[in-house]
Amino acid sequence: MTARKHYTALSTQARDMIASLSRKGRLISWLRVVVFIAAIVLGIMLRHDVTAMSIAIAAAVITFLALVKWHDNVITHRLREEALLKFAESRLQVLDGNLSGLPRGERYIDSNHPYSYDLDVFGDKSLFSLLDSTATPGGSDKLAHRLMTPDLDADDVIRRQQAVMELSDMTSLRDSMQVSGRMAESSLADSRGSASAVAIPPINMPIALTILSYAAFPIFITTAVLSYLDWIASSWCLWTFLSFLGLSALGAKHIGRLHSRLTETVSSLTSRVDLFRHIEESKFTSPLLQQLQQRLNVDGTEASTLIAKLAKELKSLDQRYNAVGYLLFNGTSLWDYRVISNVDRWMKRYGRHLDSWYDTLSEIDALSALATFDFENPDYTYPQIDRSGEVIMEAAEMGHPLIGKSSRVNNPLPPMTPHSFIIITGANMAGKSTYLRTIGINYLLAMTGAPVAAKAMTFSPTMLFTGLRTNDSLADGESYFFAELKRLQSVVESASTGQRMFILLDEILRGTNSADKQRGSLGLIKKLIKLPVSGLLATHDLALGVLAEEYPQNISSYCFEANIKGDNLTFDYKLRKGTAHNLNAYFLMQHMGII
């Protein structure tokens, strides 16, 4: 089934189920009213028969409570269907090429990053918007991290490819994770929170108080029984109750702070028990997913079971917010101290795993997002990895994934080998910059383990650097020209240390005169080909094309042409061998009446 058919089916089924559940919810509400009225009527009718009246009212109460439980289940079911509907509609929106309103990852934007700012990895209608179908904030963060610091080890990239491929076929798992994740988010006050053992305050319950908390209830029961049998004064039971209550009051403020802090800190895990369970119950074959799944098992017990136990303990502390419950539970059993002792024991045994569990969930969530990208683009391909490092990048029929498939023009990338450069010349608007971004985006996708928008591609992971868009820095008192020089300096310095790099440069040295720019550009290319650097340079300066003649083993020349016929200017956006001949600035200025 295609992605569109799958999401359309999910959407239709969810809408039908929501309508059905809404009708059922209204019916249950009316039944509750009927039961309530029936209880009153029966109470009046049977007021002279206390036994019959008691039985009737008890039956009505039990029926009413059962209806409440049923209604809660219906509401929960409807919330799940609504979450599924929102997910399906958001993915249909992506398939339609509409990225408006989707995650933009603004907090990750960094104009000084080696490539993410130039390639529009983050921001409005960005690559991140296209990819981020994560179900958790941690997954979103992990995806962003992978896009900014991808794997440079070939074996790691292959392991990620295998994991993404496997998850791509597990639509049921990914759909279930989306529903559970969205429901968890709706239940969290702070959706950006994450479990961290470092953030959890130490509990350190005194041993004596721990022992007393477990002995408290037997002590109270014993005094109550002995008082009832008149073996001790009845005041003993009262004093025991008051003593326990007083002792509880002494630690009430501290326990309250602990409860609040613990709940806030681990809510990112306790609210996502279902997500962990989905992962634990899956049968994975790829090594990376098996390794990640194993991290959710501690001494034969699944993380979801352990987290559910912690959640139950923390929920049981909610009794302290009910005045009657607080008095009853603490006065008879030192309830707060007992629960905190249980939590303390849990934290000492399993607390060190919290960061690992959350990180594992985030990693699988990020991989699932890439798998969704694969599922939605079956015509994309997984690139081959050249372990020898002799092929930096080579591709056939490669296009930009953010350009609609109906209007996208695909182009090849000739084999890029170590110390090789391609000079791209062409007229304004002919497609040079888009071509560079197409190469950069697909190279980045390949390093994350995702499929690429190409018929075929081979690459070896290495550091990616771009110089496509440089900004002035008013805060640092830097001009555009000096800011660009600093970026180029960082490339040369890194490469001089032996760091392999793949760089994409667009019209460098725009802040100086044409003669100086040409001289500087020629000098830069001549230096870079002596370093462990490969890349492409797009330029309007046709003189740079002569470098292909001077260094035929290292430099090749390609172009994008503008087609001028009479008063018509057209572009086919097709890469050609050689240097461009047709320029269009003068033509456009004449055509627009500027000159």
Side-chain angles (χ1 to χ4, degrees):
M1 182 182 292
T2 65
R4 184 173 296 279
K5 288 182 178 179
H6 175 69
Y7 295 136
T8 301
L10 285 183
S11 177
T12 301
Q13 293 169 10
R15 289 181 186 278
D16 292 343
M17 184 58 69
I18 290 170
S20 175
L21 291 170
S22 296
R23 292 192 296 270
K24 187 178 293 185
R26 289 193 292 271
L27 174 61
I28 295 172
S29 296
W30 279 110
L31 288 175
R32 287 164 61 181
V33 173
V34 170
V35 170
F36 179 75
I37 295 174
I40 294 175
V41 172
L42 288 173
I44 294 173
M45 293 176 61
L46 300 174
R47 64 185 181 278
H48 299 299
D49 187 340
V50 176
T51 301
M53 182 181 69
S54 300
I55 294 174
I57 292 177
V61 170
I62 292 173
T63 303
F64 187 85
L65 293 176
L67 288 172
V68 170
K69 178 72 172 178
W70 187 16
H71 193 258
D72 289 342
N73 291 337
V74 168
I75 291 176
T76 300
H77 190 179
R78 175 171 174 169
L79 290 174
R80 293 184 67 84
E81 294 299 326
E82 289 175 346
L84 185 61
L85 176 61
K86 288 180 180 179
F87 166 65
E89 289 181 336
S90 69
R91 300 322 298 171
L92 286 171
Q93 176 183 336
V94 171
L95 290 177
D96 290 334
N98 180 10
L99 302 182
S100 301
L102 295 177
R104 305 195 303 175
E106 299 99 325
R107 61 186 178 280
Y108 310 117
I109 294 176
D110 178 6
S111 60
N112 294 317
H113 189 266
Y115 58 80
S116 65
Y117 188 69
D118 284 346
L119 298 179
D120 298 315
V121 175
F122 305 107
D124 188 36
K125 301 177 183 178
S126 61
L127 178 66
F128 188 75
S129 298
L130 183 66
L131 296 177
D132 188 20
S133 60
T134 54
T136 66
S140 182
D141 290 338
K142 184 70 71 173
L143 177 62
H145 176 74
R146 290 295 179 185
L147 290 171
M148 297 179 76
T149 55
D151 289 315
L152 300 182
D153 182 87
D155 290 333
D156 288 340
V157 174
I158 290 174
R159 281 157 51 86
R160 289 180 63 80
Q161 281 186 346
Q162 293 169 342
V164 174
M165 287 181 194
E166 183 173 10
L167 287 169
S168 178
D169 293 330
M170 304 178 74
T171 53
S172 178
L173 170 62
R174 290 186 286 104
D175 292 345
S176 297
M177 288 182 64
Q178 282 292 328
V179 172
S180 297
R182 288 169 181 263
M183 291 190 68
E185 289 305 300
S186 65
S187 68
L188 290 171
D190 178 13
S191 62
R192 300 303 312 171
S194 64
S196 175
V198 176
I200 295 176
I203 298 174
N204 298 325
M205 276 283 290
I207 295 178
L209 194 55
T210 299
I211 295 173
L212 181 59
S213 69
Y214 283 98
F217 189 66
I219 290 174
F220 179 80
I221 291 297
T222 300
T223 56
V225 170
L226 293 178
S227 296
Y228 178 78
L229 297 175
D230 289 331
W231 290 7
I232 60 174
S234 58
S235 59
W236 274 89
C237 184
L238 176 61
W239 282 113
T240 300
F241 180 88
L242 294 176
S243 297
F244 288 165
L245 198 59
L247 185 59
S248 297
L250 290 176
K253 184 176 292 187
H254 177 61
I255 291 176
R257 286 197 297 266
L258 281 174
H259 182 209
S260 177
R261 186 75 176 274
L262 283 164
T263 301
E264 175 185 353
T265 304
V266 303
S267 61
S268 56
L269 289 179
T270 56
S271 62
R272 298 185 174 98
V273 171
D274 285 345
L275 272 168
F276 283 99
R277 191 170 291 118
H278 293 319
I279 295 170
E280 293 161 354
E281 293 175 351
S282 298
K283 302 296 182 182
F284 296 126
T285 59
S286 63
L288 178 56
L289 291 176
Q290 288 181 336
Q291 178 186 352
L292 290 170
Q293 188 181 47
Q294 187 57 39
R295 288 167 60 181
L296 300 180
N297 187 292
V298 180
D299 300 328
T301 305
E302 305 291 357
S304 62
T305 301
L306 297 173
I307 295 170
K309 185 176 181 180
L310 176 62
K312 182 179 179 181
E313 294 289 354
L314 293 176
K315 188 175 181 179
S316 65
L317 267 182
D318 291 345
Q319 297 291 343
R320 65 193 319 276
Y321 296 123
N322 181 289
V324 176
Y326 181 85
L327 294 173
L328 180 62
F329 284 100
N330 283 288
T332 59
S333 63
L334 292 176
W335 181 261
D336 284 5
Y337 287 123
R338 179 190 292 188
V339 175
I340 284 294
S341 295
N342 292 340
V343 173
D344 188 26
R345 187 167 63 254
W346 190 100
M347 291 302 304
K348 287 177 179 176
R349 187 170 181 181
Y350 303 112
R352 67 183 183 276
H353 298 288
L354 288 175
D355 292 331
S356 175
W357 289 341
Y358 191 76
D359 185 73
T360 299
L361 176 62
S362 301
E363 183 66 49
I364 293 178
D365 191 19
L367 289 169
S368 295
L370 296 179
T372 297
F373 176 68
D374 179 23
F375 175 66
E376 294 171 356
N377 297 279
D379 54 328
Y380 289 6
T381 185
Y382 282 90
Q384 298 296 313
I385 299 176
D386 177 35
R387 293 177 179 272
S388 69
E390 290 303 311
V391 178
I392 303 301
M393 186 175 178
E394 178 182 9
E397 296 186 28
M398 178 177 55
H400 200 302
L402 289 174
I403 298 177
K405 296 178 182 179
S406 61
S407 56
R408 180 190 304 166
V409 177
N410 297 328
N411 279 293
L413 173 65
M416 300 293 301
T417 58
H419 307 286
S420 71
F421 260 82
I422 293 178
I423 306 297
I424 307 290
T425 56
N428 294 296
M429 303 183 298
K432 302 187 303 299
S433 298
T434 299
Y435 181 62
L436 292 185
R437 286 187 170 85
T438 297
I439 294 170
I441 284 290
N442 282 289
Y443 192 79
L444 176 58
L445 284 171
M447 288 196 292
T448 64
V452 296
K455 183 177 181 180
M457 175 176 161
T458 301
F459 83 109
S460 58
T462 188
M463 181 176 290
L464 176 63
F465 180 91
T466 62
L468 311 180
R469 178 194 295 141
T470 305
N471 292 329
D472 296 2
S473 178
L474 298 178
D476 296 330
E478 292 181 353
S479 67
Y480 169 91
F481 182 64
F482 189 65
E484 183 179 26
L485 289 180
K486 286 181 66 176
R487 283 182 68 83
L488 294 176
Q489 181 186 40
S490 69
V491 172
V492 173
E493 289 178 347
S494 296
S496 297
T497 64
Q499 173 66 58
R500 295 172 68 242
M501 302 182 75
F502 183 43
I503 67 175
L504 306 171
L505 303 175
D506 186 13
E507 204 63 50
I508 60 173
L509 305 179
R510 280 172 282 190
T512 187
N513 65 73
S514 58
D516 195 29
K517 168 187 171 183
Q518 183 182 103
R519 185 179 179 186
S521 299
L522 287 168
L524 177 65
I525 298 299
K526 290 179 180 180
K527 180 164 186 173
L528 289 178
I529 60 176
K530 299 177 183 178
L531 298 171
V533 175
S534 301
L536 293 91
L537 170 65
T539 180
H540 292 105
D541 192 344
L542 303 185
L544 293 183
V546 302
L547 286 171
E549 300 175 5
E550 187 176 351
Y551 299 94
Q553 298 300 317
N554 302 97
I555 299 176
S556 54
S557 181
Y558 286 83
C559 68
F560 287 92
E561 285 285 18
N563 302 312
I564 302 176
K565 291 183 179 181
D567 290 336
N568 295 321
L569 173 66
T570 60
F571 304 98
D572 60 12
Y573 306 111
K574 284 294 186 180
L575 185 69
R576 292 176 171 82
K577 182 73 176 176
T579 303
H581 298 288
N582 297 328
L583 302 180
N584 62 3
Y586 188 80
F587 171 85
L588 286 172
M589 294 179 74
Q590 275 190 321
H591 196 68
M592 297 174 66
I594 298 174
I595 56 176

